[in-house]
Amino acid sequence: MLGSEKTAAVRERLGALTSDARLPDRYQLVQSLKAAAAAALAWALTGWWLAAPMALMAPWAAVALVQGTVYRSLRSAVELIAMMASGTLLAAGAAAVTGNTMTAMLIALPLTVLLGNWLPVGEQGLYAPTTALFVLAYGTYSLSAVGHRLLETVVGAVVGIAVNAIVLPPVHSLHVRNLACALPRDCSRLLRELSEGLVEEYDEERAERWHRAAGELPGALSDLRAARGWATESFRFNPGHRMRRSTPSPSERWDVVWAQVGNQLLTITLTLWETASERRALPRPSGPFLEDLSIVLAAASKVCAADETIMEQGPDDACLGKRAGHLAEARRALAAAKRHLRGPGPDTGASLGSLVAGCQALLDDLTPGEDDSAPLAGGARTGRI
């Protein structure tokens, strides 16, 4: 048994390493290659077509505009061109007036930094002072030279937007589905740990870890909501999204259900933590009650695991039947746990009542309602989704 636990721990660690967010995924590799291609194309166009001796502005703008969505590339292009044009004009004007590069820098940099911070352009504000520095480094401030710099910027912006929109335009719907599957998986894992820990002599430290794990669930929901925003944005002005493989996403009701489940897990784990703490007056529940409660949580864990399977593979009669069976098992075990409420002292009754109420609400949230018959995009239907 100990060997299998060590093997499972090693596998889990290897899985965490291979899924480390610091490692580049396919999307990051594709966007990096597109940015490099856009820079090379912009450099070639301005170098050959415009005969620019050092066409730096064009590839710089092209790289900056290979954004995470086509809509973001278009929106950022307006901001970037405005900032780079401002930096170019202010630097050239300061140099023309002063005739000295250092003095022009002392005049142009404060103005461009203030402009980038003051205007609502976000990250693009940095391009005003940096463009001013590059213009001053060129050392040419004539009207034709300034016009050349601005033309290079526009060419680079057009190339960056075109490459991002035409070559595998980014679509982020798959990330939404992955995060949606993670919610029931995380809840199932925590419920299984609770079930196994209740039949053992859990201590305050272990109960605190359970509560911290439950407290991390709202963060996963926030990630899912942010991913939905990216997915919606990635379809705006995207000419190639219809040619990409469609990845159905769950309805927003899915988020509501798992937010409710996460709240119940917070309540249950908080009560268990307080009953394990020596600083609290709530006594630890009896062994027979914890055994019945362990069965409830184990069955609820299987319900959540079934929801994950349904989200990944779509609903089928066998999986839906197993889910209904696990939910019925949980309700039977909860009815058995409720019998322990008869006759305990007020302190013990408070801890038992809190745990029973939390489990009752948990099962209610996992039970399909009459208004929850609308299927998920892609056909999956489960719980109150």
Side-chain angles (χ1 to χ4, degrees):
M1 179 65 69
L2 184 59
S4 62
E5 291 178 354
K6 289 183 177 180
T7 302
V10 170
R11 289 177 178 173
E12 184 176 353
R13 179 57 182 162
L14 288 174
L17 289 173
T18 56
S19 61
D20 195 331
R22 292 172 296 180
L23 298 178
D25 56 15
R26 179 179 178 274
Y27 160 75
Q28 292 171 326
L29 290 173
V30 169
Q31 291 297 102
S32 299
L33 292 174
K34 286 166 59 177
L41 181 58
W43 183 288
L45 284 175
T46 52
W48 296 339
W49 177 37
L50 300 178
M54 186 177 178
L56 178 62
M57 297 295 196
W60 188 24
V63 169
L65 292 179
V66 179
Q67 298 273 340
T69 65
V70 176
Y71 167 77
R72 192 155 300 216
S73 292
L74 290 167
R75 189 187 69 183
S76 298
V78 176
E79 300 169 347
L80 182 140
I81 291 174
M83 290 296 97
M84 295 182 76
S86 300
T88 300
L89 295 173
L90 286 172
V97 170
T98 63
N100 181 274
T101 301
M102 178 61 70
T103 306
M105 187 179 300
L106 293 175
I107 296 174
L109 284 183
L111 293 176
T112 52
V113 171
L114 178 62
L115 186 67
N117 291 331
W118 178 59
L119 292 177
V121 292
E123 298 176 355
Q124 311 306 324
L126 181 64
Y127 288 96
T130 50
T131 301
L133 286 173
F134 283 124
V135 169
L136 292 172
Y138 274 127
T140 54
Y141 318 114
S142 65
L143 186 61
S144 60
V146 171
H148 217 284
R149 301 290 85 78
L150 296 178
L151 181 58
E152 291 173 16
T153 302
V154 173
V155 170
V158 171
V159 170
I161 294 171
V163 169
N164 201 36
I166 296 173
V167 182
L168 295 176
V171 175
H172 299 282
S173 58
L174 180 60
H175 192 44
V176 174
R177 194 169 184 85
N178 291 338
L179 288 172
C181 291
L183 288 171
R185 180 170 62 249
D186 293 343
C187 291
S188 176
R189 182 186 301 115
L190 179 56
L191 285 165
R192 185 170 63 252
E193 292 176 2
L194 290 173
S195 173
E196 295 170 353
L198 290 182
V199 295
E200 303 171 2
E201 192 66 23
Y202 67 93
D203 55 12
E204 181 180 0
E205 182 180 356
R206 189 173 187 183
E208 183 182 1
R209 287 201 303 270
W210 293 337
H211 189 61
R212 283 203 304 267
E216 293 173 358
L217 295 175
L221 279 167
S222 298
D223 292 342
L224 177 56
R225 295 189 185 100
R228 286 186 186 279
W230 272 97
T232 301
E233 183 181 303
S234 68
F235 283 93
R236 299 178 65 181
F237 304 111
N238 190 331
H241 75 271
R242 296 184 183 277
M243 296 182 293
R244 303 287 295 276
R245 183 178 61 182
S246 176
T247 304
S249 299
S251 70
E252 293 188 1
R253 181 59 184 164
W254 179 268
D255 304 14
V256 175
V257 171
W258 294 105
Q260 294 171 336
V261 171
N263 288 336
Q264 306 312 327
L265 286 173
L266 272 172
T267 300
I268 293 170
T269 55
L270 178 59
T271 303
L272 290 172
W273 183 15
E274 291 181 335
T275 58
S277 175
E278 297 179 355
R279 300 184 300 274
R280 300 292 189 179
L282 283 179
R284 184 189 295 266
S286 64
F289 173 82
L290 291 177
E291 289 178 2
D292 289 335
L293 192 66
S294 174
I295 298 174
V296 175
L297 298 178
S301 173
K302 295 176 183 177
V303 173
C304 295
D307 284 343
E308 180 192 0
T309 302
I310 291 171
M311 171 56 65
E312 288 180 337
Q313 304 175 5
D316 60 75
D317 293 339
C319 190
L320 291 173
K322 289 181 180 179
R323 185 187 191 279
H326 295 320
L327 191 58
E329 179 187 359
R331 291 198 175 279
R332 288 193 297 270
L334 182 61
K338 288 180 180 179
R339 290 197 289 268
H340 296 278
L341 294 174
R342 302 169 187 169
D347 291 338
T348 303
S351 59
L352 268 60
S354 177
L355 291 170
V356 167
C359 289
Q360 178 71 63
L362 174 66
L363 299 184
D364 289 343
D365 290 334
L366 292 173
T367 300
E370 294 180 359
D371 59 339
D372 301 321
S373 57
L376 293 169
R381 182 187 302 174
T382 176
R384 295 187 174 186
I385 301 163

